[in-house]
Amino acid sequence: MLATGTKATTAPTADSQDAEAGLLWKQIVGPLEPFLEAVSNRLGEQVRAFDPELSGLAEYTLQGPGKQLRPTLVGLVGQALGRPGPDHITVAVIIEMIHLATLVHDDVMDEAALRRGRLTVAARWGNETAVLFGDCLFAQALVLAAGFPTPEICRAVARATETVCTGEILQTRHRRNFPLSQEYYFRVLEMKTGELFGLACDLGAWCSGAAPEVRGTLRQFGLAFGTAYQLYDDCLDLMGQESAVGKSLGTDLAKGKLTLPVLLAWERSDPRERSRLERWIQHWEPGHLPQLRQMLERHGALVEALRMIHVHLERARQHLQGLPAPARPGPLHAAADYLARQADRLNGAH
């Protein structure tokens, strides 16, 4: 989700060839290009923080392809409240390192061989090394956080990390377990994805010297926006096109993760259809996807799930209305509008 010539300019779109979408996203993040470039450079510098024998592993992880969504939010908040500075860069690096650590661990648990078109750390160096290096990333993020003159950053980072890991545990414990309530599903989404989005907005505001109430308002924006983004990603896993998404579809189902469209279809099905859906999830095969899509469309599950993206994005926009007059929440509002547009495009494709 970033800019021209760097990984900071690739728009988070269901169709990477959509020039119009790419242009819209560039208009949002274009002013942040120097900031995002600085974040990328600072991430690269972190390679030297690890033992020389781990330099290849660290470089592979820290300088790999990525959307940098969370650093982008840090920068957008800094822009809304003035101008991003050196502290914003450090905070963005901290949060991105935490995110990368969770991805390294996720790939071990999911037995994933590829991420973003290349071998995962686990596939290339083995599970034991991947688990331990993920721990190293968490630790290095806390080292950077400890460099601030207040323990507040360390506390916020540690709390957020605990929340993210707890959300992952809760999701893992309920794999393939029907029924699962929508309330529980959204709780996990907020913990797993929304939390780091909320942290990015909160600490971005802290770096700008914002008052506690402003920080709280922006944190709530981040939680709602992050939840909407993860819901969009869950829908994309079922409704996208592999050539555009850049990965195999149905990966959540292969891992037994029950996403909102599937939960809605189960709730609206008769006993026979429920049994069929449960069998598919228990023994998932890619060939089930066309039949599953038909079931989802028959029960309006896809349309309802996409509607819920708009619900959470509207909550995010409402939080921006609570910002004081000097703030310029335009880019944050535009980011929410962009994601809403992408959800509508996904709906239009089916």
Side-chain angles (χ1 to χ4, degrees), residues 292-304:
L292 175 60
R293 280 177 166 174
Q294 291 176 5
M295 181 183 292
L296 298 178
E297 292 176 3
R298 185 163 60 250
H299 292 291
L302 299 175
V303 172
E304 176 62 16

Side-chain angles (χ1 to χ4, degrees), residues 169-187:
I169 292 171
L170 294 179
Q171 183 178 67
T172 300
R173 291 180 64 183
H174 288 274
R175 288 183 178 180
R176 301 182 176 88
N177 288 343
F178 288 98
L180 184 71
S181 71
Q182 291 185 41
E183 180 181 5
Y184 194 93
Y185 166 80
F186 280 111
R187 178 190 175 204

Side-chain angles (χ1 to χ4, degrees), residues 51-67:
D51 188 281
E53 288 195 33
L54 301 182
S55 60
L57 173 58
E59 184 175 355
Y60 187 83
T61 306
L62 293 170
Q63 296 184 309
K67 300 173 184 175

Side-chain angles (χ1 to χ4, degrees), residues 137-191:
L137 289 172
F138 280 129
Q140 180 59 20
L142 287 173
V143 168
L144 289 177
F148 283 93
T150 170
E152 185 171 2
I153 303 299
C154 261
R155 279 198 296 266
V157 168
R159 279 196 302 265
T161 302
E162 179 186 22
T163 297
V164 171
C165 293
T166 300
E168 184 66 47
I169 292 171
L170 294 179
Q171 183 178 67
T172 300
R173 291 180 64 183
H174 288 274
R175 288 183 178 180
R176 301 182 176 88
N177 288 343
F178 288 98
L180 184 71
S181 71
Q182 291 185 41
E183 180 181 5
Y184 194 93
Y185 166 80
F186 280 111
R187 178 190 175 204
V188 169
L189 251 60
E190 184 174 290
M191 295 174 75

Side-chain angles (χ1 to χ4, degrees), residues 4-329:
T4 52
T6 73
K7 63 184 179 182
T9 44
T10 304
T13 169
D15 182 353
S16 60
Q17 302 304 314
D18 185 347
E20 181 183 358
L23 178 60
L24 288 173
W25 184 247
K26 188 176 179 180
Q27 290 173 348
I28 296 171
V29 301
L32 291 180
E33 190 170 341
F35 169 79
L36 293 169
E37 186 69 31
V39 171
S40 294
N41 292 337
R42 185 77 181 279
L43 274 170
E45 293 171 3
Q46 297 308 304
V47 171
R48 296 195 296 270
F50 299 92
D51 188 281
E53 288 195 33
L54 301 182
S55 60
L57 173 58
E59 184 175 355
Y60 187 83
T61 306
L62 293 170
Q63 296 184 309
K67 300 173 184 175
Q68 288 195 350
L69 294 172
R70 295 147 193 85
T72 298
L73 280 177
V74 174
L76 289 176
V77 168
Q79 187 182 50
L81 299 176
R83 183 178 181 182
D87 284 350
H88 291 87
I89 294 171
T90 302
V91 159
V93 169
I94 291 168
I95 296 173
E96 187 68 0
M97 289 184 72
I98 293 171
H99 174 58
L100 291 173
T102 65
L103 295 184
V104 170
H105 284 169
D106 281 351
D107 289 337
V108 173
M109 293 186 296
D110 295 337
E111 300 179 351
L114 295 174
R115 179 177 286 278
R116 295 167 185 159
R118 65 177 193 157
L119 289 174
T120 62
V121 172
R124 184 163 176 175
W125 282 277
N127 285 345
E128 292 181 354
T129 296
V131 169
L132 293 171
F133 187 67
D135 293 343
C136 288
L137 289 172
F138 280 129
Q140 180 59 20
L142 287 173
V143 168
L144 289 177
F148 283 93
T150 170
E152 185 171 2
I153 303 299
C154 261
R155 279 198 296 266
V157 168
R159 279 196 302 265
T161 302
E162 179 186 22
T163 297
V164 171
C165 293
T166 300
E168 184 66 47
I169 292 171
L170 294 179
Q171 183 178 67
T172 300
R173 291 180 64 183
H174 288 274
R175 288 183 178 180
R176 301 182 176 88
N177 288 343
F178 288 98
L180 184 71
S181 71
Q182 291 185 41
E183 180 181 5
Y184 194 93
Y185 166 80
F186 280 111
R187 178 190 175 204
V188 169
L189 251 60
E190 184 174 290
M191 295 174 75
K192 279 193 57 185
T193 303
E195 182 64 27
L196 286 187
F197 279 63
L199 181 69
C201 293
D202 178 15
L203 294 188
W206 181 89
C207 292
S208 297
E213 58 270 21
V214 174
R215 289 180 57 188
T217 295
L218 286 166
R219 170 177 166 77
Q220 291 302 314
F221 166 84
L223 287 172
F225 183 81
T227 300
Y229 177 80
Q230 185 59 58
L231 179 51
Y232 169 77
D233 196 59
D234 287 352
C235 291
L236 194 63
D237 188 57
L238 293 170
M239 302 164 63
Q241 301 294 326
E242 288 189 358
S243 60
V245 176
K247 64 178 182 178
S248 299
L249 300 181
T251 54
D252 288 333
L253 300 176
K255 301 165 190 172
K257 296 179 180 178
L258 303 180
T259 55
L260 184 61
V262 175
L263 294 175
L264 288 167
W266 188 90
E267 291 175 359
R268 299 174 179 187
S269 293
D270 59 31
R272 178 184 296 180
E273 280 190 314
R274 285 184 176 184
S275 296
R276 185 185 309 132
L277 180 54
E278 290 169 11
R279 286 196 303 271
W280 287 343
I281 302 302
Q282 290 293 335
H283 308 285
W284 180 255
E285 297 178 7
H288 294 323
L289 186 56
Q291 300 174 74
L292 175 60
R293 280 177 166 174
Q294 291 176 5
M295 181 183 292
L296 298 178
E297 292 176 3
R298 185 163 60 250
H299 292 291
L302 299 175
V303 172
E304 176 62 16
L306 292 171
R307 187 187 71 82
M308 291 303 298
I309 295 175
H310 286 280
V311 168
H312 282 81
L313 288 174
E314 183 55 32
R315 289 176 185 171
R317 296 186 192 96
Q318 288 174 0
H319 288 300
L320 293 178
Q321 294 176 6
L323 292 176
R328 301 187 301 277

Side-chain angles (χ1 to χ4, degrees), residues 18 20-21 24 310 336-346:
D18 185 347
E20 181 183 358
L24 288 173
H310 286 280
D337 291 345
Y338 178 87
L339 184 54
R341 179 183 180 278
Q342 293 305 105
D344 289 339
R345 289 183 68 249
L346 198 56

